[in-house]
């Protein structure tokens, strides 16, 4: 039924939580932070999540986001760190991390062996995503990766899906599926573009929205029952 599989990156293939912990821990270490790393990391996580939601709505640019999150964090904790230098260091460390979600490599290999074309479509920061993919064990299975920065539009905007289809020369929406962990970006984006969707709900959270995916899975391995 499907020929083209579009996969999100963070939270779908890559374990972003582990990458974030690593990048924050290493960056704060370099800046000689002596406070509670767990407390400040939890605060950062909340600030960052809210800003990414604003990005999806078009209320903030990605360039501003990458610095604004630390500006707010440092203000709250009264830290006199250079926001730009810290952000650059954090992105460097984030790009070093290539923690994968359980079964990501197995599933990508399965999809490639089945003959699917595999595309990663991500709202992430390009230099980080490219670096992580290059270092990962799934690189050989991925046909292409499209990052929103190069498009000028973020999921769920249909523009990024139009760009993807045009870039890879695919024009049949009936044999495409969008797979991702974000209801508001991945699933809504797929629905907006008129393609089937699969929600990767690893934490088995309740869907209280009106965004309804065609499929829902709780482990990546369950994709083999759909594809």
């Amino acid at each position: 039924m499907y020929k083209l599989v579009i996969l999100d990156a963070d939270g779908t293939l890559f374990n972003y939580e582990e990458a974030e912990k690593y990048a924050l821990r290493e960056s704060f270490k370099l800046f000689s932070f002596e406070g509670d790393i767990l407390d400040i990391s939890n605060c950062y996580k909340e600030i960052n999540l809210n800003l990414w939601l604003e990005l999806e709505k078009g209320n903030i640019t990605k360039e501003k986001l990458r610095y604004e999150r630390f500006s707010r964090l440092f203000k709250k904790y009264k830290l006199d760190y250079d926001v730009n230098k810290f952000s650059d260091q954090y992105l460097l460390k984030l790009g070093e991390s290539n923690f994968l979600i359980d079964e990501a490599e197995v599933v990508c290999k399965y999809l490639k062996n089945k003959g699917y074309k595999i595309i990663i479509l991500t709202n992430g920061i390009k230099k980080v995503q490219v670096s992580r993919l290059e270092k990962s064990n799934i690189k050989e299975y991925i046909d292409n990766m499209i990052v929103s920065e190069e498009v000028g539009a973020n999921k769920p905007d249909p523009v990024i899906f139009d760009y993807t289809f045009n870039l890879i020369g695919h024009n049949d929406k009936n044999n495409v599926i969008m797979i991702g962990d974000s209801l508001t970006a991945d699933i809504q984006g797929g629905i907006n573009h008129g393609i089937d969707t699969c929600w990767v709900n690893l934490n088995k959270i309740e869907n209280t929205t009106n965004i309804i995916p065609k499929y829902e899975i709780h482990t990546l391995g369950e994709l083999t029952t759909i594809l």
Side-chain angles (χ1 to χ4, degrees):
M1 178 182 181
Y2 299 113
K3 293 183 179 180
L4 173 62
V5 176
I6 303 177
L7 289 153
D8 175 50
D10 293 317
T12 302
L13 292 174
F14 290 97
N15 189 326
Y16 184 75
E17 286 193 9
E18 288 301 314
E20 183 180 73
K21 288 177 186 176
Y22 168 79
L24 283 172
R25 183 178 66 249
E26 293 302 308
S27 298
F28 276 117
K29 188 186 299 183
L30 287 169
F31 277 72
S32 303
F33 178 70
E34 297 179 351
D36 186 334
I37 188 65
L38 180 59
D39 181 66
I40 199 170
S41 294
N42 287 336
C43 182
Y44 168 80
K45 186 174 181 179
E46 182 178 354
I47 291 171
N48 191 46
L49 176 61
N50 288 332
L51 285 172
W52 279 99
L53 290 174
E54 289 303 305
L55 179 78
E56 290 175 15
K57 297 173 185 176
N59 295 335
I60 189 172
T61 65
K62 193 168 296 178
E63 183 63 29
K64 184 176 181 180
L65 178 151
R66 67 179 69 182
Y67 299 107
E68 178 65 19
R69 54 192 178 182
F70 293 114
S71 178
R72 294 184 186 185
L73 184 68
F74 296 164
K75 182 177 181 180
K76 180 176 176 63
Y77 283 84
K78 298 181 173 59
L79 295 173
D80 188 25
Y81 295 162
D82 185 304
V83 171
N84 292 346
K85 288 182 179 179
F86 191 95
S87 177
D88 291 344
Q89 182 61 50
Y90 172 78
L91 292 178
L92 179 65
K93 292 299 179 182
L94 200 60
E96 289 178 2
S97 63
N98 59 349
F99 304 104
L100 292 172
I101 295 290
D102 289 345
E103 302 179 289
E105 184 178 357
V106 171
V107 167
C108 286
K109 183 177 181 179
Y110 166 86
L111 294 175
K112 178 58 66 175
N113 288 341
K114 285 287 185 178
Y116 292 105
K117 189 166 191 175
I118 308 171
I119 304 294
I120 291 179
L121 182 59
T122 172
N123 280 354
I125 294 170
K126 185 172 182 178
K127 69 177 182 179
V128 172
Q129 302 298 52
V130 170
S131 175
R132 292 164 76 196
L133 181 60
E134 287 293 324
K135 292 179 172 65
S136 76
N137 292 334
I138 62 172
K139 180 182 182 295
E140 62 181 296
Y141 308 117
I142 307 303
D143 293 293
N144 206 332
M145 179 169 71
I146 291 91
V147 185
S148 59
E149 272 187 275
E150 62 194 79
V151 184
N154 301 289
K155 293 176 292 183
D157 193 328
V159 169
I160 195 170
F161 288 89
D162 286 332
Y163 177 94
T164 300
F165 275 54
N166 290 334
L167 181 68
I168 64 176
H170 195 94
N171 55 21
D172 186 354
K173 295 182 180 181
N174 295 317
N175 59 24
V176 183
I177 185 167
M178 174 73 220
I179 302 166
D181 68 301
S182 171
L183 286 169
T184 53
D186 305 314
I187 306 308
Q188 187 63 66
I191 291 171
N192 289 349
H193 201 65
I195 58 178
D196 285 352
T197 58
C198 177
W199 182 31
V200 181
N201 183 12
L202 300 179
N203 295 319
K204 300 181 180 179
I205 63 174
E206 181 183 0
N207 183 0
T208 58
T209 74
N210 60 356
I211 305 170
I212 309 300
K214 181 168 183 176
Y215 305 101
E216 177 179 338
I217 58 175
H218 299 137
T219 68
L220 272 185
E222 291 176 55
L223 279 176
T224 62
T225 66
I226 298 170
L227 301 169

